[in-house]
Amino acid sequence: MAKKPLIFAVDDDQFYLDEIRMEIEKQANYKLFLGPNDFEQHVNPSDIQEVDLILVDYDYGTGTAIKSQMAEYIRNDLKFKGKLVLCSLHEYFLKDEEKIRKDYDAVLHKRDLSWERLEGILR
């Protein structure tokens, strides 16, 4: 039997964390974080190398993942080498488009969240 992937999700809305959990709970191991502060406080840097994919919400009540430099923190400070996916309800990101293309492996609209989409990104 193949090893289940490990997925972390960071979102400040419990509704979307529950949606993510329902989509992946049978196919993946996971850990959910209620916002970037929860992620920063509770992520274990030594375990981050075991994570296959991290879903990061774009828009938080206090700013965006781009303004808070989530990708830089995850990639540079935590030394994460897996897939980093920006997840959002936004269709367009205007001034953030170039930075998003540079920092994230994929952008996934929250309406399109499915195990099949995540599995495709993991490949």
Side-chain angles (χ1 to χ4, degrees):
M1 184 169 146
K3 173 185 154 277
K4 284 184 174 183
L6 177 57
I7 297 175
F8 282 6
V10 184
D11 198 306
D12 66 335
D13 189 328
Q14 187 63 51
F15 173 81
Y16 289 110
L17 289 176
D18 291 342
E19 290 288 312
I20 292 166
R21 179 186 46 77
M22 288 187 289
E23 260 323 300
I24 67 174
E25 66 186 345
K26 291 180 182 162
Q27 296 89 351
N29 295 314
Y30 61 91
K31 186 157 186 184
L32 308 175
F33 300 91
L34 190 56
N37 291 337
D38 185 40
F39 177 77
E40 189 174 348
Q41 290 172 2
H42 295 104
V43 72
N44 184 342
S46 64
D47 292 338
I48 199 78
Q49 301 314 313
E50 302 300 318
V51 178
D52 298 291
L53 184 144
I54 300 176
L55 289 169
V56 176
D57 183 26
Y58 172 74
D59 195 7
Y60 301 102
T62 58
T64 68
I66 304 307
K67 287 181 185 170
S68 67
Q69 299 181 333
M70 280 293 288
E72 290 88 343
Y73 172 69
I74 292 168
R75 293 270 191 223
N76 300 333
D77 296 348
L78 298 177
K79 309 289 189 236
F80 179 64
K81 303 287 187 226
K83 299 288 184 170
L84 190 56
V85 177
L86 191 67
C87 202
S88 180
L89 287 173
H90 293 275
E91 299 283 339
Y92 305 102
F93 299 97
L94 302 173
K95 64 181 178 195
D96 292 333
E97 292 276 349
E98 187 176 325
K99 183 122 180 79
I100 290 168
R101 278 194 299 276
K102 177 182 162 280
D103 292 346
Y104 292 87
D105 296 300
V107 176
L108 183 63
H109 197 285
K110 287 182 178 181
R111 287 190 311 251
D112 297 332
L113 179 69
S114 68
W115 172 247
E116 291 76 22
R117 295 287 307 265
L118 294 176
E119 189 176 38
I121 294 167
L122 283 166
R123 284 189 216 135

